[in-house]
């Protein structure tokens, strides 16, 4: 059982608190993604698990083994942990061939030479790199190097697999293919994995669960659907997918699961409230995914179901290939959505379904780009 | 494929055998060895300077009397004055020549500028001792050019046996240092500043004077302090030209008081050495400060575009002729004539060269077992000693830059400290150390004491060749090895050191050449049986064997030339800077 338990992990670099009391529980065979903006402490968390940096506080254990415990002063050096870490830079050793790179961890483990050879071939086959065993890293493409780096890590069957932005050096096409390939590999091997990325599509498509980090802290942990559909705060909503934020005030008590929000220009919007209670008079922020906002053509009736129709002013329109990107002003707040046809007039009428809005307490300074 | 999947997903491997215990002894061992090596010559010097009798005598008492005695020693004031004048003059000459050369060869359209620049560098590859003999052979009282001059004019206008004469030789041999620093700054400096001046109508020389030169100032200032330090420590030129004329400087004072005198006064010598150590420490500290400033200044510049060369116009050829004459007089003549002298039984402008050509000097040299042995010893010290020193330096470098060793900062400091220890002080210090430490008696009369002393002196030099490359190796490469189960030492052996091979080869080559030409420390430490080329040269010189001196010097020049050429051709290594 290789379940990974991180409790209250803290790491400082001088004044900077890079990781601030982070707790994550990764079940055996689970694939968890750390997602967050640059500098939020993702790599630092991985380095702490791998033992490359000594944390300042907390506890890390894998299966029954304690890797680090600040209270007892336990700290296993990286070589004693049996983790697998694939670096963002791949870190293939330039003076060794692909074969030598991959066989290195087996040599360290004193695996008999016949078996060594067999296993290297096997793992190179797994990543489809058999024909390149005699090449040097600089003779490989970025995607091939990435696969060798992965093979070098898989060959010794690490207890947990740590991947630090393994796809970030690839171009968009290659990245797409590598993602599919990685998803296949992941179902086949079933290793306990922590995956670091700041690409939300990668995170959403690959993970069992996502940990969104912000400024060294955990903003939300949940399944991809949780994170996307029920973001815990405006930061998560903004970071995952494009989100439009509308400042407003609650008017009238929530009624039948719905609350009425008045925007700054006086227009009113009804939203569904489930968990969050909205006290009348309090300031709130409404968040909408662009795809949830509909355009109601002139003279057309609003769609059926609960929702509200509001009027917004058109600021900009741009053709982005097959679709139009429209910039709007709604009650003083910017709004962006994509439509099949460009809006004709200066004004558009929008359909905001009551189920599509997410309500956050207080005003927020998160602005959608 | 599915089989592969099953196996790769199989039970996790047993953890690799943990060797982590090896780390501490290796790191502490290296650090301790370095500390002992660097402290070995320093502590005895400092100790000797505050006790009332030689270190090996019983019943010593702490005293400050040595300092008072040194201050009241007759002529010591003059020694200090000579030292200062010699170093200051040398520095001025070196800076003027080096800066002019950098501007002319690096920034103008002078013909053959590259070749002239290469030749200009030659003196730094050779030992000051060999250069001194070269100058003697050409410009000495019975030198080739002196005699030529005498046959046409009255007595020559030059005299090497004076402070200005000595400073001229030293200045010429240190000018390449100023040249190198100016070149690396002149080529980096943003040319747009110069261009702006030229566009606004300033003439070539005005621009050079008002813009280019001020931009070079940080480089000139830094190399000036460097050159001042080196000339303070210079022993060969004052020994060859100063001593016969009764001009004593600190280094020759140390040499005569410390070892060469009939009754050496150890208290005085050690105190003078301590004084010199203090001064040089201060100068090295100053270098550090200035270097920081230089970097700041240089990074102000933009991209490393090559500035457009200045047009010299009508002065192009006249200036070329002056430069060519300068190179011929100060580089080609001393080295060339010395080598020719080695292959001649006698050298005079009155006698045709063909009549006196012979290999006699060499046969005679190798018939004497002492000299043959000196050549052999030099090779062994350089080849084996260079390898040992390279290994130690590599260890220090990986510990300082690639480990979590607790004392890696102090180790870094200690390893670079020998920069502040002049060769003569190291010589005196190791001399005392052998006398003091019982265990060292064994190696006293062997070349190993030289290997130890040379290694100590050149740790910073080698470190300077290794560390920059090491810092370019991505730390991810060794972190990857650690995660995969290699302990620190395995990672060093299998990953870091193999990746550093080019830097280690460069380091070894530099150390080989440095050890091969080293004499300053050696003349304090050698004994019958452990002579090296440097000490044998001085020995022959004192006996007045000009031909044998030339032959031995020619061997040194030849070996170094081969090494430099090979290093450049094979490894593309730059051996200076
Ligand atoms: N060695 C270090 N010294 C000082 N500060 C550091 C060091 N390493 C990381 N930091 C700081 O810690 C914070 C977290 O860094 P970390 O590398 O974990 O970010 P990250 O989430 O991996 O970002 P990215 O997506 O850009 O890789 C950053 O503010 C960074 O500046
Ligand atoms: Mg990172």
């Amino acid at each position: 059982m290789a379940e990974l338990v991180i409790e209250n992990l803290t790491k400082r670099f001088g004044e900077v608190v890079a990781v601030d009391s982070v707790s994550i529980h990764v079940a055996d065979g689970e694939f968890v993604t750390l997602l967050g903006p640059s500098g939020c402490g993702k790599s630092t968390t991985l380095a702490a698990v791998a033992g490359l940096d000594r944390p300042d506080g907390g506890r890390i254990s894998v299966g029954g083994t304690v890797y680090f415990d600040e209270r007892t002063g336990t700290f296993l050096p990286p070589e004693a942990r049996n983790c697998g870490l694939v670096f963002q830079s791949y870190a293939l050793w330039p003076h060794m061939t692909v074969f030598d790179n991959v066989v290195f961890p087996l040599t360290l483990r004193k695996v008999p030479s016949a078996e060594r050879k067999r296993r290297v071939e096997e793992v190179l086959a797994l990543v489809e790199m058999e024909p390149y065993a005699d090449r040097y890293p600089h003779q490989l493409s970025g995607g091939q190097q990435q696969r060798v780096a992965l093979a070098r890590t898989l060959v010794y069957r690490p207890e947990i697999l740590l991947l630090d932005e393994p796809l970030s050096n690839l171009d968009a096409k290659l990245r797409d293919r590598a993602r599919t390939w990685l998803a296949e590999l992941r179902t086949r091997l079933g290793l306990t994995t922590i995956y670091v990325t700041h690409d939300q599509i990668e995170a959403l498509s690959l993970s069992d669960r996502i940990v969104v980090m912000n400024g060294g802290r955990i903003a939300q942990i949940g399944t991809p659907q949780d994170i996307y559909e029920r973001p815990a705060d405006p930061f998560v909503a903004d970071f995952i997918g494009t989100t439009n934020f509308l400042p407003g005030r609650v008017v009238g008590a929530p009624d039948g699961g719905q609350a009425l929000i008045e925007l700054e220009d006086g227009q009113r919007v009804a939203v569904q409230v489930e968990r969050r209670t909205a006290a009348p008079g309090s300031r709130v922020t409404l968040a909408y995914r662009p795809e949830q906002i509909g355009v109601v053509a002139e003279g057309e009736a609003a769609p059926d179901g609960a929702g509200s129709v509001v009027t917004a002013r058109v600021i900009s329109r741009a053709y982005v290939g097959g679709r139009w990107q429209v910039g709007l002003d709604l009650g003083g707040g910017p709004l962006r959505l994509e439509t099949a046809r460009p809006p004709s007039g200066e004004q558009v009428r929008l359909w905001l379904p009551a189920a599509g809005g997410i309500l956050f307490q207080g005003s927020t300074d998160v602005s959608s780009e | 494929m599915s089989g592969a999947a099953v196996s790769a997903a199989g039970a996790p491997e047993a953890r690799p055998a943990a060797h982590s215990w090896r780390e501490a002894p290796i790191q502490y061992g290296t650090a301790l060895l370095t500390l002992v090596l660097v402290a070995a010559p320093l502590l005895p010097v400092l100790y000797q300077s505050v006790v009332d009798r030689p270190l090996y005598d019983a019943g010593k008492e702490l005293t400050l009397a040595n300092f008072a005695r040194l201050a009241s020693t007759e002529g010591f004031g003059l020694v200090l004055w000579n030292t200062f004048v010699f170093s200051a003059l040398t520095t001025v000459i070196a800076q003027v020549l080096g800066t002019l050369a950098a501007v002319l060869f690096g920034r103008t359209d002078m013909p053959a500028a590259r070749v002239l620049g290469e030749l200009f560098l030659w003196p730094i590859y050779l030992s000051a001792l060999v250069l001194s003999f070269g100058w003697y052979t050409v410009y000495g009282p019975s030198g080739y050019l002196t005699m030529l001059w005498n046959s046409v004019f009255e007595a020559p206008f030059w005299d090497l046996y004076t402070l200005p004469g000595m400073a001229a030789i030293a200045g010429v041999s240190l000018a390449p240092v100023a040249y190198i620093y100016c070149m690396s700054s002149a080529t980096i400096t943003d040319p747009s500043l110069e261009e702006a001046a030229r566009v606004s109508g300033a003439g070539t020389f005005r621009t050079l004077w008002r813009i280019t030169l001020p931009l070079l100032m940080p480089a000139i200032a830094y190399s000036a302090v460097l050159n001042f330090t080196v000339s303070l420590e210079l022993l060969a030129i004052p020994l060859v030209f100063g001593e016969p004329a009764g001009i004593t400087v600190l280094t020759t004072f140390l040499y005569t008081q410390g070892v060469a005198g009939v009754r050496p006064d150890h208290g005085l010598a050690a105190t003078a050495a301590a004084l010199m150590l203090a001064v040089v420490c201060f100068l090295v500290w100053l270098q550090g400060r200035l270097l920081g400033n230089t970097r700041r200044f240089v990074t102000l510049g933009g991209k490393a575009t090559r500035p457009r060369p200045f047009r010299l116009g009508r002065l192009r050829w006249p200036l070329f002729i002056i430069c060519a004459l300068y190179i011929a007089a100060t580089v080609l003549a001393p080295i060339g004539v010395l080598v020719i002298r080695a292959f001649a039984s006698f050298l005079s402008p009155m006698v045709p060269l063909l009549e006196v050509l012979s290999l006699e000097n060499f046969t005679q040299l190798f018939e004497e077992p002492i000299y043959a042995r000196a050549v052999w010893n030099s090779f062994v010290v350089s080849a084996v000693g260079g390898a040992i020193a390279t290994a130690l330096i590599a260890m220090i470098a990986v510990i300082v830059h690639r480990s979590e060793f607790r004392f890696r900062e102090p180790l870094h400091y200690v390893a670079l400290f020998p920069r502040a220890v002049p060769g003569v002080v190291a010589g005196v210090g190791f001399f005392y150390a052998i006398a003091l430490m019982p265990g060292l008696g064994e190696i006293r009369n062997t070349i190993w004491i030289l290997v130890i002393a040379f290694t100590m002196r050149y740790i910073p030099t080698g470190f300077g060749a290794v560390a920059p490359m090491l810092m370019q190796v991505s730390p991810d490469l060794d972190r990857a090895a650690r995660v995969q189960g290699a302990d620190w030492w395995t990672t060093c052996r299998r990953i870091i050191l193999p990746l550093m091979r080019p830097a280690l080869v460069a380091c070894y080559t530099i150390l080989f050449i440095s050890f091969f030409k080293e004499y300053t420390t050696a003349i304090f430490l050698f004994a019958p049986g452990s002579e090296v080329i440097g000490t044998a040269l001085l020995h022959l010189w004192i006996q007045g064997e000009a031909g044998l001196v030339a032959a031995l010097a020619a061997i040194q020049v030849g070996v170094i030339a081969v090494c430099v050429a090979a290093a450049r051709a094979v490894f593309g290594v730059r051996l200076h800077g």
Side-chain angles (χ1 to χ4, degrees):
Chain A
M1 275 289 280
E3 66 172 347
L4 165 67
V5 183
I6 302 174
E7 289 165 75
N8 298 319
L9 182 70
T10 301
K11 171 72 190 173
R12 290 182 210 92
F13 292 105
E15 294 287 283
V16 186
V17 185
V19 173
D20 190 0
S21 195
V22 160
S23 301
I24 305 171
H25 188 130
V26 185
D28 186 30
E30 196 182 13
F31 191 106
V32 168
T33 298
L34 297 187
L35 181 65
S38 186
C40 70
K42 307 178 297 283
S43 297
T44 309
T45 308
L46 276 204
V49 175
L52 293 172
D53 281 325
R54 198 188 173 111
D56 296 301
R59 186 170 187 279
I60 302 172
S61 62
V62 166
T65 321
V66 178
Y67 279 4
F68 169 75
D69 192 340
E70 190 238 347
R71 269 178 308 130
T72 58
T74 315
F75 179 79
L76 273 192
E79 62 266 24
R81 295 191 177 195
N82 221 17
C83 288
L85 173 57
V86 176
F87 288 79
Q88 182 170 349
S89 59
Y90 308 146
L92 296 181
W93 300 305
H95 62 300
M96 296 183 184
T97 60
V98 167
F99 184 91
D100 292 337
N101 263 283
V102 178
V103 84
F104 183 75
L106 297 183
T107 319
L108 291 172
R109 286 167 175 76
K110 305 222 162 33
V111 175
S113 84
E115 193 193 333
R116 239 166 21 209
K117 195 161 175 312
R118 186 181 60 76
R119 279 176 55 182
V120 170
E121 279 165 5
E122 209 173 84
V123 79
L124 284 180
L126 181 72
V127 300
E128 292 158 27
M129 285 294 292
E130 273 169 309
Y132 302 92
D134 294 326
R135 296 233 192 144
Y136 282 90
H138 65 91
Q139 298 165 321
L140 300 176
S141 75
Q144 291 168 335
Q145 290 186 26
Q146 179 230 335
R147 284 185 272 166
V148 175
L150 196 58
R152 188 178 67 175
T153 300
L154 294 178
V155 75
Y156 62 93
R157 298 164 188 162
E159 265 165 272
I160 51 171
L161 184 60
L162 310 168
L163 304 168
D164 193 352
E165 309 199 27
L167 307 188
S168 64
N169 288 346
L170 308 184
D171 65 42
K173 269 230 180 77
L174 206 54
R175 207 175 161 128
D176 259 0
R177 261 196 288 146
R179 196 190 309 135
T180 322
W181 176 80
L182 208 59
E184 261 174 49
L185 201 67
R186 138 177 166 45
T187 28
R188 218 186 305 161
L189 300 183
L191 275 171
T192 309
T193 305
I194 298 191
Y195 185 86
V196 164
T197 183
H198 47 226
D199 182 317
Q200 36 161 319
I201 301 185
E202 253 167 64
L204 293 169
S205 63
L206 285 172
S207 333
D208 292 325
R209 279 192 303 155
I210 296 177
V211 179
V212 184
M213 291 182 71
N214 183 21
R217 291 170 164 277
I218 293 181
Q220 186 175 3
I221 303 186
T223 62
Q225 260 166 338
D226 262 345
I227 303 270
Y228 191 84
E229 287 164 15
R230 286 174 291 281
D233 60 25
F235 168 80
V236 178
D238 187 42
F239 193 76
I240 310 267
T242 327
T243 304
N244 295 299
F245 291 98
L246 301 171
R249 208 161 46 81
V250 183
V251 289
D255 168 35
Q258 284 199 8
L260 205 56
I261 315 294
E262 185 178 89
L263 302 182
E264 312 240 297
D265 63 352
Q267 302 195 67
R268 296 191 169 195
V269 181
V271 284
Q272 216 138 43
V273 279
E274 308 162 356
R275 303 158 278 164
R276 283 166 271 261
T277 51
S282 63
R283 300 207 60 81
V284 290
T285 302
L286 261 175
Y288 283 97
R289 303 283 183 199
E291 69 269 16
Q292 286 166 329
I293 303 178
V295 177
V296 187
E298 210 61 49
E300 199 177 295
D304 291 341
S308 338
V309 176
V310 292
T311 313
R313 206 159 49 81
V314 177
I315 299 173
S316 66
R317 58 200 91 188
Y319 185 64
V320 291
R323 311 170 62 75
W324 288 79
Q325 207 165 62
V326 187
L328 301 168
D329 178 283
L330 176 56
L335 198 73
R336 186 187 290 172
L337 54 114
E338 292 190 346
T339 58
R341 271 167 292 131
S344 47
E346 285 301 295
Q347 308 257 324
V348 281
R349 294 199 306 146
L350 301 177
W351 168 247
L352 304 177
I358 307 161
L359 198 62
F360 297 115
Q361 291 297 326
S363 52
T364 171
D365 54 359
V366 176
S367 59
S368 57
E369 300 119 84
Chain B
M1 281 275 260
S2 60
V6 168
S7 132
E13 197 71 48
R15 277 155 220 255
H19 291 294
S20 302
W21 57 268
R22 296 195 295 200
E23 198 170 314
I26 293 173
Q27 293 172 348
Y28 277 96
T30 308
L32 205 65
L33 182 64
T34 312
L35 183 65
V36 168
L37 204 57
V38 174
L42 298 182
L43 294 184
V45 166
L46 295 178
Y47 184 45
Q48 175 70 81
S49 70
V50 292
V51 292
D52 60 349
R53 61 195 70 189
L55 280 174
Y56 38 80
D57 281 3
K60 296 181 288 287
E61 275 177 32
L62 286 180
T63 168
L64 284 179
N66 288 326
F67 289 89
R69 212 149 53 83
L70 186 67
S72 62
T73 298
E74 210 190 323
F76 189 68
L78 185 63
V79 169
L80 290 182
W81 175 247
N82 285 342
T83 311
F84 175 75
V85 171
F86 172 67
S87 304
L89 262 182
T90 302
T91 310
V92 169
I93 295 173
Q95 296 318 103
V96 170
L97 292 176
T99 310
L100 279 176
V103 171
L104 286 174
F105 303 153
R107 295 291 289 112
T108 70
D109 61 348
M110 176 175 287
R114 281 188 58 106
V115 178
L116 290 175
E118 281 296 310
L119 291 174
F120 190 81
L121 283 178
W122 275 20
I124 47 163
Y125 297 126
L126 300 175
S127 80
L129 200 58
V130 166
L131 283 174
S132 304
F133 296 144
W135 280 72
Y136 176 84
T137 331
V138 183
Y139 303 104
S142 57
Y144 195 84
L145 273 180
T146 315
M147 290 207 273
L148 207 59
W149 184 278
N150 282 341
S151 63
V152 185
F153 307 101
E154 291 293 294
F157 63 87
W158 64 82
D159 181 2
L160 298 180
Y161 292 81
T162 60
L163 278 175
M166 286 154 52
I169 306 176
V172 165
S173 57
L174 293 182
V177 176
Y179 174 77
I180 289 167
Y181 278 95
C182 286
M183 280 300 273
S184 53
S185 130
T187 46
I188 291 170
T189 311
D190 191 349
S192 56
L193 293 169
E194 284 179 1
E195 237 114 69
R198 279 196 265 182
V199 167
S200 63
T204 297
F205 291 96
R206 214 179 141 78
T207 310
L208 278 176
W209 181 252
R210 301 292 296 276
I211 307 289
T212 311
L213 203 62
L215 284 176
L216 286 179
M217 256 355 258
I220 297 173
Y222 174 72
S223 54
V225 180
L226 201 66
N227 276 340
F228 190 82
T229 316
V230 176
S231 29
L232 269 187
E233 303 176 19
L234 212 54
L235 176 63
I237 296 168
L239 200 58
V240 171
F241 297 107
E243 279 303 288
I247 304 170
T248 307
V249 296
L250 252 182
T251 49
T252 42
F253 178 83
L254 269 177
Y255 178 62
T256 47
Q257 292 297 317
V259 287
V262 191
R263 293 190 54 234
D265 187 334
H266 293 307
L268 274 194
T271 311
L275 183 72
M276 191 164 178
L277 193 62
V279 171
V280 173
C281 277
F282 167 73
L283 288 170
V284 167
W285 172 81
L286 193 63
Q287 286 168 25
R289 292 287 306 264
L290 285 174
L291 189 61
N293 290 337
T294 318
R295 291 236 175 90
R296 265 209 295 285
F297 202 92
V298 166
T299 46
L300 277 180
K303 284 172 252 115
T305 43
R306 182 138 192 103
R308 202 150 47 87
F310 286 100
R311 297 179 168 282
L312 292 173
R314 269 176 302 134
L315 286 174
R316 195 161 173 244
W317 287 100
L319 278 174
F320 167 74
I321 289 169
I322 292 175
C323 290
L325 278 179
Y326 167 82
I327 297 280
T330 63
V331 179
L332 298 180
I335 301 172
V337 175
L338 186 66
V339 172
I340 294 172
R341 178 67 183 86
F343 292 95
S345 53
F346 179 72
L347 203 57
S348 158
M350 322 307 163
V351 187
L353 185 59
L354 276 180
E355 283 178 23
V356 290
L357 278 185
S358 84
L359 285 177
E360 200 185 321
N361 288 327
F362 289 95
T363 46
Q364 205 183 332
L365 192 69
F366 282 103
E367 271 162 18
E368 283 290 342
I370 308 182
Y371 305 125
R373 197 167 58 211
V375 174
W376 173 245
N377 281 345
S378 272
F379 270 109
V380 176
V381 167
S382 311
V384 180
I388 294 173
T390 304
L392 177 67
I393 288 162
M395 288 306 303
I396 296 173
V398 291
I399 292 173
V400 166
H401 289 300
R402 283 317 227 284
S403 80
E404 293 97 57
F405 183 49
R406 257 180 73 192
F407 302 106
R408 60 180 196 275
E409 271 310 308
L411 175 61
H412 193 186
Y413 186 81
V414 169
L416 292 184
F417 192 78
R419 280 184 308 173
V421 182
V424 278
V425 175
V428 173
F430 274 109
F431 181 75
Y432 291 153
I434 314 172
L436 205 60
M437 263 176 271
L440 285 182
E442 291 295 311
I443 57 166
R444 178 183 214 143
N445 295 337
T446 68
I447 54 173
W448 299 110
I449 184 65
L450 298 182
V451 169
I452 292 174
F454 291 3
T455 300
M456 178 266 179
R457 283 209 61 205
Y458 287 97
I459 290 174
T461 311
F463 195 83
V466 169
M469 163 126 198
L470 181 55
M471 284 191 279
Q472 279 172 9
V473 175
S474 159
D476 280 357
L477 294 178
D478 35 311
R479 288 156 70 113
R482 292 296 295 275
V483 173
Q484 298 189 0
D487 68 342
W488 176 79
W489 178 233
T490 310
T491 306
C492 288
R493 251 183 333 122
R494 297 286 308 275
I495 310 291
I496 307 178
L497 291 173
L499 284 173
M500 278 164 60
R501 201 175 298 145
L504 294 179
V505 170
C507 173
Y508 179 73
T509 316
I510 291 170
L511 291 184
F512 184 94
I513 294 173
S514 304
F515 283 21
F516 202 75
K517 67 183 202 189
E518 170 68 43
Y519 62 91
T520 318
T521 319
I523 61 173
F524 288 86
L525 297 175
F526 82 101
S530 66
E531 305 88 349
V532 287
I533 291 183
T535 61
L537 274 172
L538 269 176
H539 189 242
L540 284 168
W541 171 256
I542 288 162
Q543 293 178 354
E545 296 278 8
L548 296 186
V549 166
L552 202 51
I555 292 175
Q556 200 186 80
V557 172
V559 170
I560 289 175
V562 168
C563 287
V564 172
R568 291 186 137 200
V570 181
F571 321 113
V573 179
R574 276 165 64 103
L575 295 176
H576 49 70

